[in-house]
Amino acid sequence: MLVLRRPPLALRALRLLHSSARICDRVGPPDPVSNIRPVLYDDPVSTSAESSRHPYSLHEFRDDTDTNADTDTLEYQRKLQRQQLDAFNDAFWRDTNTRFEVAKAAAVNDPSPHATAEQREERLGEFYESWVLQETTRQQEYNSEWRRRSMEEIKLATRVSYQKLKARFVS
């Protein structure tokens, strides 16, 4: 039988002093139209030691060789790019789902309201088939654009991580 012991109180308190704040993104409920679940990003607020000691903004007085300024700029670009990708994704699916529901309602409620259930099912099957064929090109264009933007975001996130790592060793 394996018995796990908790570390002494002094070690737990020491760990609490040296641990960094937890960062976790949260996911909201799905949007009723786009069916996309929004992500609430928990980005750490970048506060440097100099900004907490100085009453004025020193960002405008930094020289171009400052790696923290480069990292802050890249991180800001990454956050903007991530927001734009999320907005692009939501707008595409919002438009697609709205058009789908309108077209589906028109196909199901077509000429004869006294149609049997089998006839409605057949019309619905034909509608789905025509919708998929109609939307194939648009979907492929969206997929390629989404992949391109995602790769740009990944590259930028990698550059931010590299700059932060480099700054840890330079400092």
Side-chain angles (χ1 to χ4, degrees), residues 51-125:
S51 66
S52 62
R53 286 186 271 133
H54 204 282
Y56 302 106
S57 172
L58 298 178
H59 294 287
E60 58 190 292
F61 301 112
R62 288 186 174 156
D63 59 350
D64 292 335
T65 60
D66 189 7
T67 57
N68 285 339
D70 292 342
T71 304
D72 289 346
T73 304
L74 284 175
E75 196 160 354
Y76 183 70
Q77 286 176 349
R78 184 187 64 81
K79 289 176 188 178
L80 284 177
Q81 210 170 46
R82 183 177 60 191
Q83 290 173 354
Q84 290 170 351
L85 181 62
D86 288 348
F88 169 73
N89 190 32
D90 185 71
F92 174 82
W93 287 110
R94 182 176 303 279
D95 178 56
T96 300
N97 292 345
T98 302
R99 290 182 316 104
F100 175 80
E101 290 300 328
V102 168
K104 181 176 136 185
V108 171
N109 298 331
D110 229 10
S112 73
H114 304 295
T116 65
E118 287 180 12
Q119 290 172 334
R120 275 188 253 133
E121 293 265 341
E122 188 176 317
R123 252 188 288 159
L124 200 54

Side-chain angles (χ1 to χ4, degrees), residues 15-16 19-26 41-45:
R15 174 69 184 135
L16 288 176
S19 64
S20 56
R22 285 185 61 182
I23 297 173
C24 54
D25 299 335
R26 292 178 289 284
Y41 297 104
D42 190 14
D43 293 326
V45 180

Side-chain angles (χ1 to χ4, degrees), residues 121-139:
E121 293 265 341
E122 188 176 317
R123 252 188 288 159
L124 200 54
E126 291 168 1
F127 163 73
Y128 286 145
E129 183 179 355
S130 67
W131 178 264
V132 168
L133 291 174
Q134 168 190 331
E135 293 293 309
T136 299
T137 304
R138 186 172 183 268
Q139 183 74 38

